Amino acid sequence: MLIRSLNVEKYGVCQKTEIDEISDDLLVVYGPNEAGKTTCMEFIRGVFYGLSNDGREKYVCGADQTYGGSISIEGG
């Protein structure tokens, strides 16, 4: 399975974050501390495995406790 694109509407510090056209090659995500790298990883994990109550509630932001986004995948 390959992740082809990532769209995070609202999840922690990641808001309106889009990564399109991810190729088959190696993808490196880098940036300064608190930029949202781990938050994006937690979003991907939550989409595939569900959101648990083991401390990840800090990623759900806002008084209305809403979050969302999408992942496009290819293969199986």
Side-chain angles (χ1 to χ4, degrees), residues 1-5 19-29 74:
M1 173 178 58
L2 299 171
I3 296 176
R4 291 300 185 188
S5 68
I19 304 172
D20 292 326
E21 301 178 18
I22 300 172
S23 69
D24 295 347
D25 300 329
L26 176 68
L27 173 67
V28 177
V29 178
E74 180 182 302

Side-chain angles (χ1 to χ4, degrees), residues 3-75:
I3 296 176
R4 291 300 185 188
S5 68
L6 173 68
N7 176 7
V8 183
E9 288 296 320
K10 183 177 178 185
Y11 191 75
V13 297
C14 295
Q15 296 190 22
K16 297 183 177 151
T17 302
E18 291 186 39
I19 304 172
D20 292 326
E21 301 178 18
I22 300 172
S23 69
D24 295 347
D25 300 329
L26 176 68
L27 173 67
V28 177
V29 178
Y30 66 95
N33 291 342
E34 302 297 321
K37 302 177 299 290
T38 301
T39 303
C40 281
M41 181 191 69
E42 292 292 342
F43 174 78
I44 294 169
R45 182 180 294 162
V47 168
F48 287 115
Y49 302 109
L51 298 171
S52 63
N53 292 329
D54 62 352
R56 292 192 187 120
E57 61 272 1
K58 67 182 177 183
Y59 296 109
V60 180
C61 61
D64 56 0
Q65 299 292 302
T66 60
Y67 50 90
S70 63
I71 298 174
S72 296
I73 60 170
E74 180 182 302

